[in-house]
Amino acid sequence: MLSIVETIWRVFTHAFRKRVTVLYPEEKPYLAPRYRGRIILSRDPDGGERCVACYLCAVVCPVDCIALHATEDEHGRRYPEFFRINFSRCIFCGFCEDACPTYAIQLTPDFEMSEFNRQNMVYEKEHLLISGPGKYPGYNFWNVSGVAIGGKDKGQAENEGRPVDVRSLLP
Amino acid sequence: MTSPYPIASILGILFASLTIAAGLIWLERRLLALWQDRYGPNRVGPFGLAQVIADAIKIFFKQDWVAPFADKPVFIIAPAIILVTVLLSFAVVPFAPGIVVSDPNIALLFFLGMSSLGAYSVVLAGWSSNNKYALLGSLRAAAQLLSYEVFMGLSVMGVVMLAGSFQLSEIVHAQRGLWFVVPQFLGFILFLIAGVAETRRLPFDLPEAESELVAGFHSEYSGMKFGMFFVGEYLGVTLISAMITVLFFGGWLGPVLPPVVWFLLKMFFFISFFILLRASLPRPRFDQLMSWAWKLLLPLALLNLIVTGAVVLLLA
Amino acid sequence: MAKVYVDNRAFEMNEKQNLLHGCLSLGFDLPYFCWHPAMGSVGACRQCAVKQYKDENDTKGSIVMACMTPASEGTRISIRDPEAVEFRAAIIEGLMLNHPHDCPVCDEGGECHLQDMTVMTGHNYRRYRFEKRTFRNQYLGPFVNHEMNRCIQCYRCVRFYREYAGGEDLNVFSLRNTAFFGRGNDGVLESEFAGNLVEVCPTGVFTDATLKRHYTRKWDLQMAPSICVHCGLGCNVTAGERYGMLRRIVNRYHKEINGYFLCDRGRYGYEFANSDRRIRQPLLAGEPVAPEAACESLKAAVSAGHVIGIGSPRASLESNFALRTLVGEENFYAGIQDDQHGVLSLIVDVLRSRPAQVVSLAGVEASDAVLVLGEDVTNTAPRMALSLRQSVRQKPNRVAEQLRIPLWLDHAVREAVQGDKGPLFIATPAPTRLDNTATRTWRAAPDDIARLGFAVAHVLDPDAPDAPGLGESEQALAGEIAAALRDARRPLVVAGSSLNSTALVQAAANIAKAIDAAGGRAGIVFTVPEPNSMGLTLMNPKPLREALAREAGTVIVLENDLYRRAPAATVDRFLRRAENAVALDHLLNRTVEQAGLVLPAATYAEGDGTFVNNELRAQRFFRVLAPVDNIRDSWRWLATSWSALDEVVVAIGESMPELQQIREAAPSAAFRIAGEKIARAPARCSGRTAMLANIDVSEPKPPEDPDSALAFSMEGAGKQPPPSLLPYFWSPGWNSIQSVNKYQEEIAGPLRGGPAGVRLIEDSDRTAARYFGPAPDAFHPRKGEWLLVPLYHIFGSDELSRHASAVRELSANAYLALSPDDSAELEIADGGELIIEDFRAPVKIAAGMARGMVGVPAGIPPFDGLRLPMWSRLSKP
Ligand code: SF4
Ligand code: SF4
Ligand code: SF4
Ligand code: SF4
Ligand code: FES
């Protein structure tokens, strides 16, 4: 019984506390670098598109708002032919960033992307692709993968031995 | 002491109570925010006051949808009942000398009767929605309103004994020396609790318990029909606060300020208190709710009645 | 059934099988790699380790390989035993040491058995920090992509390729701890079943090279149960779609037919549906028109009277029936070459009279003595060749049985058998790919092959008509074949329509009946060229020549290129004479070019319907693509009153009692599981709210499907649908095609939920068949004239798969095959040119061809209109 009264009293005292609400937009809040806002696609340290079109972000997205299609360049490097995010559906959960094996897809500290026309919330690859590596400067997926691409032959990735073929197998 | 300008009174009180109810929506949101360290609506108009208007416009423009499986006539009537019963109750509330629609000698009984009728609104709404959550909500409402009505009536009997009248203006006049809250403190507490339950406000909002029953008896309501329930609820809060003021806190009595101001001050104090209750208390389980009513509050009310009766007899 | 205790609970397991088979049949998740339900166990990968206990008092137990341990009565094992669990995790870790960090760019990802097993064992962190082994890849042709780094040395590929499919050019080359699985040199894989490596290999070493060009993960594919359209066997396939494009075909297990494997024509022929020769809009006088206008003009053409309808063996029963109804039974003609029509009608008669059990492919596989009459099975009914390769193991396997070696113990059995092969006799005009498995082959003209057949029947049962005047060696051969068939437990005769010879079919029927008469239990199977050859024949259409001779006001050609069915001049004349020529088809062809009105017809990817296969099994295929452009089912274009498939199916049954049963081929469109349709797309299909957002950010409602119980959606029944409606195989933790385990009553047994498709004839009620006779006259080479016989090509002879880009790469070009003696006589060298029937083509000297004949590639331009076999003159340019 008393505890109820005490509760009521304690809640009442909150009338005299400082309010936590930040009065956006007059006052801009601090956004941490890992804030989950507008999504971008980043590039390798050497400037190549990082995304390898593995479809993992698309499949993990709980609202299915990522669509892409894989294609390959003449040397076998895979990349997305198109990459589309429907931000009018995105819930900024960050699962896509979590799932991405290449650090290509990243959420950024920017949420000011309202539009009057919903169609403008659909971002294509040219809207998403930035020119740097974003939060993860050093990483290049192709350096750890065993697939040969232009400029990186078999056996040239990290910790790889010399490639073997039928002929080099002869004793 | 009926008003000399009955029509003006009627219109005035109707207008005032509806305005207050609407304003309460804003007040409640602001106060809740205050107690939760937020701001609440503060963008539309000064202090966000125009938020109410914006909301009203919005609610008027919402699709007025009747579920195809609902019992249509009943479904439509239900929200009107609550509005009508509560508004009728306001007819007997003496806001100040001269500011009352009618002041019959059975005013208190009229109030109790009307508040019982209000239960129909909720029960019919749930029943006609033809939806299991709505029905469950209305069943709860029926049980709850019935149980709390019993000792609500009993809890004010002490006041009646002290004042010797059911006429509300008489009751106010009887408090010239001492507000009844002092001799009838237990009665006041009981009436307060019953009042919260009667208006189905948190913590006693089990009939709509959104975490269990979607929205309880008004799950299927939308647009202005829902709006009527909404306004009805705030009118109910206003009414109960007004009744507390009348029965226990000397109505319009008070020094210096004009009587009606005193009345409104007291009434808003209790409205705010209702909101504070909502901000601080969690919802009990339904079985707890019922056992309090019958096993704790009803005996207490009876005890209050007996003791008051005894004291009155002794003093007489 | 044996009682086996798994983790102290008693279960029933098939005692003829191993523990892995038993555990998986019971639904346990026990990881494995090297074992394959169709290929047995070799114990190579050590992944299926379980703890085995001597008895209930044994608490220590010992680790054994489940796939190498028989499920004998009273066996006690534990899957959950911590040591076994740890052992399995350690094995995976070992396999993963050198595994590349490739999943994101690996085409196997998302349907990778290695991924599944890794997750299942709980290995999730690579501790190995040293150098990884790497390999160079090879070019293996347009079908299969090679990425050797990902190999885990399970040896499934070579076991399948060499031991199961009889291929020779894929091998393992190993030195120290490096094993390279590939060819001696870069080059196209020779086996016609190489595509199965994609499914057999548990990792991404061998992947579908055509899929790679338009890569989509399995989880993103909208899939539907379909039937292969590239030959008459009716293999069950799963078609996958994304963004309105057919992406790939994979095997859909059917115990009686294709089992676990497909041929490469079936797997890779699908790309014709994406061909740029597709007709996507109705064309009126060559100009695209609205579908309504097209319908109007069709109606006008039909009401003009004198309508002729030409049906198609590659169109569904429903489409043929719709045409038949539109033009009337008496104006409905078979769109098949006349000789072939005769042969197919005879085959239907034989199947109806049932001289022997009509076997399906599983029956072919179980046969222990086989005579192939005239068919180059690898090229006319490819999947059957794979079954025949297994049939030769049946008899030798009895040796293993006597030695009490269980048949699943694959290498022990092969050791015991020592490469011994059971009887398989092949009599064809030219060498075939199965020759290396055959006991004896015989090269002769079609009539001579039929005579050999008659002789065999006569040896088996003297009542059967003989082929008089047979040479001594042939008589001896007939005796040998007859003896083999008589001694066999399950003898089989294979014949077909490819040589357009009724005598061959008669001979086969006679042999089957003769075996029966001699007390054997004969099986018979015929190959037919197209997916609905049998269905069309069952509708009793009139022969094509009668149509071509008729004067017609309007000609409606259903999914057919008449120029492949009759000589060009005849067809030209016929089409020109008609006032209106209407063609319904998928791809531009010569007939379509001649037609005034062209209606875009659905392929198996865009339409629904029923096919009847070579053993008279009616099977339904379902569209995987939502309606695109103005492509519609042919039956929809032609329908007079029906609006949904089921109505047509019912109408067929009412009009043709023999086809009544096709209703049971699959559940109707009203079928629901717990009130829900069956989703074509997997629950985890991605991109629903973004796929079409570039067009409109508001997602459209998924298209309705009035024709089937399948929905164009990822939302649908959670329970397993019946086999004929199975859009894909998937089970929690089993993302690869190996999840079929979870759909079978028992591993390698039938799928749960009843049959898929329905046999229109029952084996039980066998009517007394009569012997056919007399045998044809012997073939005599003529002076100056040559018998042109069709030679078939798995890649190229089929009308549709020719237009698939990968298949086209391997398609045969025109040539003329001559025996070495004949070419010597003509003084023409290999590669030199000859002219027949106005067509010029290079000569190919085919060792083993019989004399007096010229092999002409069937279905390959410019020879695709020739009526083969025929006598013709050869001339030098
Ligand atoms: S943040 Fe979440 S909702 Fe948005 S695209 Fe990524 S996975 Fe999808
Ligand atoms: S998960 Fe990363 S690499 Fe893969 S498709 Fe998405 S953005 Fe590209
Ligand atoms: S084979 Fe499987 S585990 Fe290996 S890289 Fe490919 S998807 Fe990953
Ligand atoms: S290539 Fe594939 S099937 Fe062959 S051994 Fe390696 S992992 Fe096994
Ligand atoms: S599956 Fe048993 S050892 Fe490979």
Side-chain angles (χ1 to χ4, degrees):
Chain A
M1 201 64 200
L2 265 181
S3 72
I4 289 179
V5 177
E6 186 188 344
T7 309
I8 296 172
W9 172 248
R10 281 180 181 239
V11 170
F12 179 71
T13 59
H14 274 262
F16 311 105
R17 303 255 178 104
K18 194 176 150 350
R19 307 189 183 198
V20 291
T21 313
V22 178
L23 286 173
Y24 178 87
E26 292 83 21
E27 206 181 311
K28 306 268 186 200
Y30 165 73
L31 299 181
R34 299 205 306 187
Y35 183 86
R36 298 199 309 262
R38 181 167 58 88
I39 298 173
I40 52 103
L41 290 174
S42 61
R43 287 180 189 273
D44 278 339
D46 55 17
E49 238 178 85
R50 246 182 188 162
C51 174
V52 299
C54 70
Y55 297 98
L56 287 180
C57 50
V59 74
V60 80
C61 178
V63 294
D64 290 343
C65 72
I66 303 181
L68 67 148
H69 194 252
T71 185
E72 265 173 24
D73 72 5
E74 66 275 28
H75 305 296
R77 181 178 173 131
R78 199 164 266 196
Y79 66 95
E81 189 180 351
F82 69 83
F83 195 111
R84 184 181 308 130
I85 300 183
N86 177 355
F87 278 112
S88 76
R89 290 285 189 185
C90 177
I91 56 170
F92 300 96
C93 60
F95 283 8
C96 47
E97 178 169 356
D98 251 4
C100 181
T102 68
Y103 292 141
I105 196 164
Q106 299 178 12
L107 281 82
T108 62
D110 171 20
F111 58 83
E112 295 178 317
M113 44 195 310
S114 319
E115 298 279 353
F116 283 104
N117 182 353
R118 209 180 136 206
Q119 189 66 46
N120 297 341
M121 302 286 282
V122 179
Y123 284 42
E124 298 288 342
K125 191 164 92 177
E126 65 260 35
H127 310 124
L128 297 166
L129 204 56
I130 62 164
S131 50
K135 283 176 275 186
Y136 307 93
Y139 185 74
N140 185 342
F141 169 78
W142 296 104
N143 280 344
V144 292
S145 133
V147 173
I149 56 162
K152 194 213 81 173
D153 198 7
K154 288 273 173 199
Q156 293 183 350
E158 281 169 24
N159 287 337
E160 276 192 352
R162 274 185 349 116
V164 175
D165 61 16
V166 183
R167 248 147 278 291
S168 59
L169 262 174
L170 296 174
Chain B
M1 48 161 272
T2 325
S3 151
Y5 314 104
I7 301 296
S9 281
I10 290 173
L11 290 180
I13 289 175
L14 187 63
F15 177 76
S17 52
L18 284 173
T19 314
I20 289 172
L24 275 189
I25 300 173
W26 174 85
L27 183 72
E28 168 147 43
R29 292 174 64 182
R30 288 293 292 204
L31 283 179
L32 281 178
L34 179 70
W35 287 315
Q36 290 165 354
D37 301 343
R38 300 183 284 116
Y39 284 96
N42 67 346
R43 294 274 157 184
V44 195
F47 303 105
L49 265 170
Q51 186 72 46
V52 182
I53 299 167
D55 286 349
I57 293 172
K58 182 185 89 171
I59 212 161
F60 269 110
F61 278 95
K62 285 228 167 178
Q63 188 188 4
D64 193 10
W65 187 76
V66 179
F69 42 81
D71 183 344
K72 219 169 164 193
V74 185
F75 188 84
I76 294 171
I77 288 169
I81 296 179
I82 187 133
L83 220 59
V84 169
T85 54
V86 179
L87 284 175
L88 279 177
S89 303
F90 271 107
V92 298
V93 177
F95 289 88
I99 308 187
V100 63
V101 177
S102 129
D103 191 20
N105 51 8
I106 49 142
L108 187 55
L109 292 180
F110 180 78
F111 158 77
L112 288 174
M114 277 300 141
S115 101
S116 308
L117 277 181
Y120 280 101
S121 161
V122 179
V123 173
L124 291 180
W127 171 261
S128 65
S129 293
N130 215 349
N131 159 320
K132 64 180 166 193
Y133 295 116
L135 184 65
L136 283 173
S138 66
L139 284 179
R140 283 183 179 190
Q144 172 177 337
L145 297 185
L146 214 78
S147 317
Y148 279 75
E149 226 168 67
V150 174
F151 70 85
M152 178 187 238
L154 290 175
S155 65
V156 293
M157 286 311 135
V159 173
V160 174
M161 279 182 210
L162 293 182
S165 168
F166 280 113
Q167 195 169 18
L168 291 177
S169 54
E170 277 302 306
I171 293 176
V172 174
H173 285 301
Q175 298 180 63
R176 276 190 195 287
L178 183 66
W179 289 354
F180 283 156
V181 66
V182 180
Q184 277 300 312
F185 188 70
L186 188 57
F188 160 65
I189 297 290
L190 292 172
F191 185 80
L192 183 72
I193 294 174
V196 177
E198 281 295 291
T199 49
R200 304 176 307 278
R201 292 272 308 173
L202 249 133
F204 295 142
D205 68 337
L206 284 96
E208 41 179 293
E210 68 280 353
S211 49
E212 312 145 34
L213 295 183
V214 188
F217 64 89
H218 62 64
S219 297
E220 296 295 346
Y221 282 88
S222 63
M224 207 42 221
K225 292 202 196 64
F226 166 75
M228 284 205 243
F229 279 120
F230 206 59
V231 171
E233 177 178 326
Y234 284 103
L235 277 176
V237 172
T238 317
L239 179 67
I240 294 291
S241 305
M243 288 309 290
I244 293 176
T245 309
V246 168
L247 295 175
F248 298 100
F249 286 85
W252 63 81
L253 301 177
V256 187
L257 296 172
V260 71
V261 175
W262 271 116
F263 190 93
L264 289 179
L265 274 180
K266 292 175 191 170
M267 187 176 85
F268 272 108
F269 176 81
F270 286 105
I271 289 174
S272 307
F273 185 70
F274 269 72
I275 296 170
L276 180 60
L277 282 184
R278 171 169 178 187
S280 44
L281 296 182
R283 184 189 303 136
R285 281 200 321 265
F286 196 70
D287 60 321
Q288 292 171 332
L289 180 90
M290 294 311 276
S291 64
W292 288 342
W294 293 104
K295 296 189 189 156
L296 180 69
L297 301 173
L298 182 66
L300 279 180
L302 288 171
L303 185 72
N304 183 41
L305 193 63
I306 294 167
V307 172
T308 313
V311 171
V312 169
L313 279 179
L314 278 179
L315 293 183
Chain C
M1 282 287 157
K3 188 181 257 182
V4 175
Y5 296 86
V6 181
D7 288 310
N8 287 325
R9 280 172 62 204
F11 293 97
E12 297 276 299
M13 284 189 192
N14 183 347
E15 80 277 3
K16 290 212 189 76
Q17 277 294 348
N18 55 62
L19 288 172
L20 178 60
H21 180 108
C23 289
L24 293 172
S25 294
L26 289 168
F28 287 107
D29 286 345
L30 185 56
Y32 64 86
F33 286 111
C34 64
W35 171 84
H36 188 286
M39 298 192 287
S41 320
V42 287
C45 70
R46 320 314 283 170
Q47 189 57 63
C48 60
V50 293
K51 219 24 161 344
Q52 185 177 18
Y53 302 94
K54 280 203 282 296
D55 48 45
E56 62 262 53
N57 301 322
D58 181 3
T59 51
K60 238 165 107 22
S62 53
I63 284 186
V64 298
M65 295 307 124
C67 71
M68 300 297 280
T69 315
S72 45
E73 179 69 30
T75 308
R76 296 185 157 266
I77 56 165
S78 167
I79 298 177
R80 289 199 306 237
D81 176 84
E83 260 181 61
V85 169
E86 200 183 315
F87 184 94
R88 295 195 296 260
I91 291 291
I92 280 274
E93 181 163 22
L95 293 177
M96 282 298 206
L97 290 188
N98 288 297
H99 203 75
H101 188 73
D102 271 2
C103 298
V105 288
C106 176
D107 287 0
E108 195 83 351
E111 52 178 327
C112 175
H113 189 59
L114 176 57
Q115 280 181 336
D116 289 348
M117 298 300 104
T118 309
V119 172
M120 195 176 287
T121 54
H123 168 64
N124 55 13
Y125 189 77
R126 189 196 290 273
R127 293 184 286 169
Y128 179 78
R129 303 237 162 278
F130 308 99
E131 208 174 77
K132 285 192 212 169
R133 198 172 54 198
T134 62
F135 294 92
R136 290 221 175 270
N137 303 329
Q138 288 181 326
Y139 170 76
L140 298 178
F143 294 153
V144 180
N145 190 60
H146 193 222
E147 186 63 52
M148 227 342 260
N149 279 354
R150 300 169 186 154
C151 177
I152 56 163
Q153 293 83 38
C154 70
Y155 283 71
R156 265 182 166 197
C157 49
V158 283
R159 289 181 58 219
F160 169 77
Y161 197 89
R162 302 181 70 85
E163 292 167 6
Y164 196 88
E168 276 152 12
D169 57 324
L170 184 92
N171 213 335
V172 49
F173 308 87
S174 55
L175 181 68
R176 296 185 296 275
N177 77 334
T178 10
F180 186 93
F181 294 80
R183 288 168 46 95
N185 287 303
D186 278 27
V188 180
L189 286 172
E190 284 162 12
S191 170
E192 295 79 8
F193 306 98
N196 291 303
L197 291 175
V198 170
E199 288 176 30
V200 165
C201 174
T203 73
V205 175
F206 298 110
T207 51
D208 184 334
T210 63
L211 174 68
K212 192 177 165 71
R213 280 191 264 118
H214 38 240
Y215 184 64
T216 306
R217 296 244 182 249
K218 178 184 179 184
W219 66 60
D220 278 348
L221 287 173
Q222 175 158 271
M223 292 173 272
S226 196
I227 304 296
C228 179
V229 292
H230 302 294
C231 85
L233 293 179
C235 291
N236 287 201
V237 296
T238 297
E241 175 268 3
R242 179 83 173 170
Y243 295 117
M245 177 191 191
L246 190 57
R247 300 276 160 162
R248 72 156 175 199
I249 292 290
V250 289
N251 184 56
R252 180 162 62 94
Y253 179 85
H254 190 299
K255 182 177 163 34
E256 294 302 321
I257 308 176
N258 44 315
Y260 290 90
F261 307 111
L262 291 177
C263 77
D264 287 0
R265 186 202 271 179
R267 186 181 299 270
Y268 298 108
Y270 73 93
E271 282 182 294
F272 80 89
N274 302 331
S275 156
D276 45 18
R277 297 175 63 87
R278 275 308 290 279
I279 306 161
R280 299 188 168 274
Q281 305 296 342
L283 304 170
L284 192 56
E287 291 302 314
V289 290
E292 297 74 30
C295 286
E296 278 312 310
S297 111
L298 174 66
K299 228 183 250 161
V302 171
S303 55
H306 293 290
V307 194
I308 281 188
I310 298 185
S312 165
R314 60 174 164 87
S316 64
L317 276 181
E318 290 78 0
S319 297
N320 278 305
F321 181 74
L323 178 62
R324 199 181 89 138
T325 313
L326 185 71
V327 301
E329 207 180 325
E330 61 293 345
N331 299 318
F332 181 63
Y333 296 88
I336 324 179
Q337 205 243 64
D338 289 318
D339 295 333
Q340 195 185 63
H341 186 202
V343 175
L344 291 174
S345 306
L346 179 62
I347 290 178
V348 167
D349 286 343
V350 170
L351 292 182
R352 281 197 189 117
S353 68
R354 269 152 283 172
Q357 190 191 5
V358 180
V359 300
S360 43
L361 289 190
V364 172
E365 203 166 315
S367 305
D368 56 354
V370 183
L371 168 62
V372 180
L373 281 180
E375 284 296 305
D376 177 1
V377 177
T378 316
N379 290 309
T380 58
R383 177 61 183 81
M384 192 186 285
L386 194 58
S387 302
L388 285 174
R389 284 190 189 275
Q390 311 318 310
S391 72
V392 300
R393 296 190 58 206
Q394 299 302 327
K395 192 166 168 222
N397 278 356
R398 276 180 224 147
V399 176
E401 260 167 31
Q402 273 157 20
L403 291 171
R404 295 164 156 261
I405 305 174
L407 287 180
W408 48 263
L409 204 52
D410 193 50
H411 275 188
V413 172
R414 286 183 196 270
E415 277 303 310
V417 166
Q418 286 292 330
D420 189 11
K421 288 189 182 117
L424 168 64
F425 299 92
I426 300 178
T428 49
T432 76
R433 295 275 288 156
L434 275 177
D435 289 356
N436 58 2
T437 337
T439 320
R440 212 165 291 289
T441 60
W442 193 57
R443 299 286 100 89
D447 281 351
D448 281 350
I449 297 172
R451 286 165 58 78
L452 175 74
F454 276 90
V456 171
H458 183 70
V459 175
L460 284 164
D461 177 6
D463 288 348
D466 195 6
L470 220 57
E472 215 165 278
S473 63
E474 281 109 65
Q475 198 62 56
L477 179 62
E480 185 186 346
I481 297 172
L485 293 176
R486 188 186 301 122
D487 293 346
R489 291 185 198 163
R490 304 180 70 174
L492 173 71
V493 192
V494 180
S497 64
S498 73
L499 291 178
N500 293 336
S501 156
T502 42
L504 275 172
V505 175
Q506 294 175 343
N510 280 5
I511 297 172
K513 183 168 163 52
I515 295 173
D516 241 22
R521 213 173 123 238
I524 192 165
V525 65
F526 295 103
T527 70
V528 298
E530 283 164 275
N532 209 17
S533 291
M534 289 280 105
L536 177 62
T537 314
L538 283 173
M539 294 183 139
N540 291 326
K542 297 183 173 173
L544 184 61
R545 66 172 175 279
E546 290 178 18
L548 296 180
R550 251 181 80 173
E551 291 278 342
T554 299
V555 177
I556 305 178
V557 184
L558 172 68
E559 302 184 23
N560 216 331
D561 182 3
L562 294 182
Y563 289 87
R564 288 175 67 94
R565 314 287 180 184
T570 323
V571 182
D572 273 342
R573 199 167 356 104
F574 171 65
L575 289 177
R576 291 223 186 91
R577 235 174 19 206
E579 271 158 44
N580 307 300
V582 181
L584 300 96
D585 216 332
H586 329 306
L587 299 167
L588 288 174
N589 57 37
R590 281 164 294 176
T591 308
V592 169
E593 278 156 19
Q594 296 288 324
L597 174 63
V598 179
L599 300 171
T603 66
Y604 68 155
E606 300 110 4
D608 309 70
T610 313
F611 287 148
V612 181
N613 79 350
N614 66 321
E615 36 151 352
L616 296 190
R617 189 189 297 268
Q619 302 187 97
R620 185 98 10 103
F621 60 94
F622 295 99
R623 59 151 30 121
V624 65
L625 266 77
V628 271
D629 301 323
N630 281 314
I631 297 173
R632 292 182 192 169
D633 293 273
S634 294
W635 58 261
R636 268 224 157 83
W637 285 116
L638 299 171
T640 39
S641 59
W642 313 294
S643 58
L645 186 78
D646 287 331
E647 295 168 28
V648 194
V649 170
V650 170
I652 292 176
E654 278 162 7
S655 125
M656 282 170 279
E658 201 175 17
L659 295 177
Q660 180 103 40
Q661 280 186 76
I662 66 164
R663 272 188 225 195
E664 291 150 38
S668 76
F671 177 84
R672 295 288 182 275
I673 297 177
E676 287 195 83
K677 280 194 156 200
I678 297 149
R680 282 183 171 86
R684 207 33 276 172
C685 191
S686 80
R688 187 171 46 87
T689 64
M691 285 171 77
L692 302 171
N694 54 332
I695 303 163
D696 184 1
V697 70
S698 315
E699 295 94 42
K701 186 168 171 282
E704 298 281 339
D705 184 353
D707 299 322
S708 74
L710 296 157
F712 293 106
S713 169
M714 50 199 273
E715 291 161 28
K719 257 182 47 199
Q720 180 184 327
S724 48
L725 285 175
L726 254 177
Y728 53 87
F729 294 112
W730 180 86
S731 177
W734 296 79
N735 298 293
S736 76
I737 193 132
Q738 321 262 345
S739 52
V740 66
N741 290 344
K742 302 276 182 191
Y743 287 77
Q744 294 162 330
E745 278 171 15
E746 183 195 20
I747 301 301
L751 293 173
R752 261 185 270 121
V758 55
R759 280 274 286 254
L760 300 179
I761 46 161
E762 275 319 317
D763 278 322
S764 49
D765 46 16
R766 194 171 293 176
T767 54
R770 60 182 176 85
Y771 279 119
F772 292 100
D777 294 335
F779 168 79
H780 294 294
R782 296 186 191 167
K783 259 259 141 338
E785 263 199 326
W786 304 80
L787 183 67
L788 308 187
V789 288
L791 298 185
Y792 288 81
H793 289 272
I794 177 169
F795 306 126
S797 292
D798 170 51
E799 182 181 351
L800 296 178
S801 59
R802 288 179 59 77
H803 296 282
S805 56
V807 171
R808 191 166 44 214
E809 254 183 70
L810 300 185
S811 288
N813 290 317
Y815 64 86
L816 295 169
L818 281 175
S819 74
D821 293 346
D822 285 344
S823 54
E825 198 183 304
L826 279 167
E827 291 171 353
I828 185 129
D830 200 273
E833 293 204 319
L834 279 178
I835 298 177
I836 52 156
E837 305 279 313
D838 303 340
F839 304 127
R840 176 200 286 241
V843 166
K844 206 156 88 179
I845 296 177
M849 269 284 300
R851 289 202 65 171
M853 297 185 296
V854 174
V856 175
I860 288 170
F863 302 125
D864 48 353
L866 288 186
R867 179 176 173 182
L868 301 172
M870 68 189 281
W871 288 95
S872 179
R873 297 188 171 281
L874 280 181
S875 56
K876 291 194 182 175

